[in-house]
Amino acid sequence: KGDEPNVLFPCSRLQMLEAICKHWEGPISLALYLSDAEAQQFLRYAQGSEVLMSRSNVGYHIVYKEGQFYPVNLLRNVAMGQVNTPYMFLLDIDFLPMYGLYEYLRKSVVQLDMGNTKKALVVPAFETLRYRLSFPKSKAELLSQLDMGTLFTFRYHVWTKGHAPTDFAKWRTATTPYRVQWEADFEPYVMVRRECPEYDRRFVGFGWNKVAHIMELDAQEYEFVVLPNAYMIHMPHAPSFDITKFRSNKQYRACLKTLKEEFQQNMSRRYGFAALKYMTVDNNS
């Protein structure tokens, strides 16, 4: 499929799927976490959908439910494992990519010589708290909505560290791609080669599941390059069961803290001196 990027979604919010298909005409590898009954329900949903039935480039991969935690990184790995294009854009189901992002990424692959360099192309993430949003058709329109308070940079209210290195102030006026440095807790959404590292499946539920993956990319010397005319928007939904547990359950947070420390020690063993900077990451994040 030449230089086509594939887009990946670990999926629990099926109502978003048709909207995503209208925004992204390229191939999609979709991981679904379902019970037997839900799988049948999804099949009926898909067969009754004119949008989904008109597509021949969407792969549905079902992981059957087991245990009490949402195995988000296992789902991501399942979706990644089924990609048949050289590049993939790693995305969650509750984001809508801008119109035309697929073609823009394809052009960026050539422009930034992705075939001969290790790059992770960052698509800046925004969010709306409104269920009915007039989706911006251009960067200028997005900036206008940002100034009006209809849109915000992603997780601006609760966790700015996750996307701060993207440098939204610079992005506002940027016309060419620019490189940014990894910082603690960075968790951008990126396009990478298909051969990039898998997600660490020990991270289940809420907390550090993307942070650990971005850290791994940095350790393997990927360059993070922000695209000046790309964006995507997180749509509002009810809080997940796992984030509720993280906020309310002390034992859950303690287990996550232990797992983070274990992951950082693993990084130190695998990457040696270069991984020292990861050991200084604040374990309370």
Side-chain angles (χ1 to χ4, degrees):
K1 297 211 174 178
D3 290 329
E4 293 182 12
N6 212 308
V7 69
L8 312 184
F9 305 102
C11 175
S12 65
R13 303 180 177 98
L14 297 178
Q15 68 275 21
M16 280 287 289
L17 186 51
E18 288 178 320
I20 287 163
C21 285
K22 291 173 184 174
H23 282 242
W24 176 274
E25 66 275 24
I28 298 173
S29 179
L30 178 74
L32 303 122
Y33 190 53
L34 304 172
S35 65
D36 282 338
E38 287 166 341
Q40 292 304 313
Q41 188 183 359
F42 171 72
L43 190 59
R44 287 193 296 274
Y45 168 86
Q47 289 173 334
S49 165
E50 196 177 318
V51 173
L52 299 187
M53 291 308 290
S54 69
R55 296 289 290 263
S56 58
N57 61 351
V58 180
Y60 305 101
H61 317 295
I62 295 174
V63 176
Y64 285 99
K65 283 187 174 176
E66 182 183 9
Q68 60 172 317
F69 296 109
Y70 183 63
V72 59
N73 279 357
L74 169 63
L75 297 182
R76 288 177 171 136
N77 289 344
V78 167
M80 282 169 67
Q82 299 301 319
V83 167
N84 58 8
T85 54
Y87 305 96
M88 52 193 183
F89 176 39
L90 308 170
L91 191 62
D92 293 335
I93 192 73
D94 38 18
F95 278 92
L96 278 181
M98 72 175 198
Y99 293 108
L101 181 61
Y102 173 62
E103 281 302 325
Y104 181 51
L105 289 180
R106 288 188 70 184
K107 288 173 183 168
S108 299
V109 162
V110 179
Q111 181 191 355
L112 295 168
D113 194 23
M114 290 277 286
N116 299 307
T117 55
K118 284 172 87 169
K119 289 191 177 81
L121 305 190
V122 176
V123 175
F126 299 85
E127 69 178 347
T128 180
L129 306 178
R130 301 185 179 191
Y131 282 86
R132 294 178 67 83
L133 173 75
S134 173
F135 198 93
K137 303 286 197 302
S138 65
K139 178 175 178 176
E141 210 173 296
L142 179 137
L143 291 174
S144 170
Q145 292 185 8
L146 206 56
D147 291 338
M148 287 191 298
T150 311
L151 289 179
F152 303 92
T153 55
F154 184 50
R155 303 198 78 192
Y156 166 80
H157 299 87
V158 290
W159 186 242
T160 52
K161 290 172 77 174
H163 295 266
T166 299
D167 195 347
F168 290 102
K170 181 170 184 173
W171 183 82
R172 288 183 70 101
T173 56
T175 54
T176 55
Y178 59 93
R179 186 176 177 184
V180 294
Q181 298 300 319
W182 176 88
E183 292 175 25
D185 299 312
F186 192 27
E187 51 177 6
Y189 290 90
V190 296
M191 183 178 80
V192 288
R193 293 183 196 168
R194 182 174 59 189
E195 303 79 22
C196 87
E198 285 195 326
Y199 288 84
D200 190 318
R201 55 188 287 180
R202 290 174 297 178
F203 290 99
V204 295
F206 176 81
W208 250 53
N209 48 72
K210 285 197 304 295
V211 169
H213 187 244
I214 294 298
M215 197 182 284
E216 186 94 39
L217 292 182
D218 184 65
Q220 293 198 14
E221 299 183 339
Y222 277 73
E223 286 181 36
F224 296 102
V225 178
V226 180
L227 296 173
N229 293 306
Y231 57 87
M232 59 189 199
I233 299 176
H234 181 266
M235 306 306 284
H237 57 80
S240 70
F241 181 54
D242 291 300
I243 195 170
T244 306
K245 275 192 293 199
F246 174 80
R247 287 170 177 164
S248 62
N249 188 321
K250 192 175 178 182
Q251 188 178 4
Y252 187 100
R253 292 196 300 274
C255 288
L256 180 60
K257 186 174 187 290
T258 302
L259 182 52
K260 284 182 190 179
E261 290 166 356
E262 190 180 299
F263 175 80
Q264 288 167 330
Q265 286 161 7
N266 290 351
M267 290 285 283
S268 185
R269 280 194 291 272
R270 288 169 62 199
Y271 298 107
F273 183 74
L276 275 179
K277 63 179 177 180
Y278 309 123
M279 299 300 288
T280 62
V281 174
D282 179 6
N283 286 324
N284 295 318
S285 60

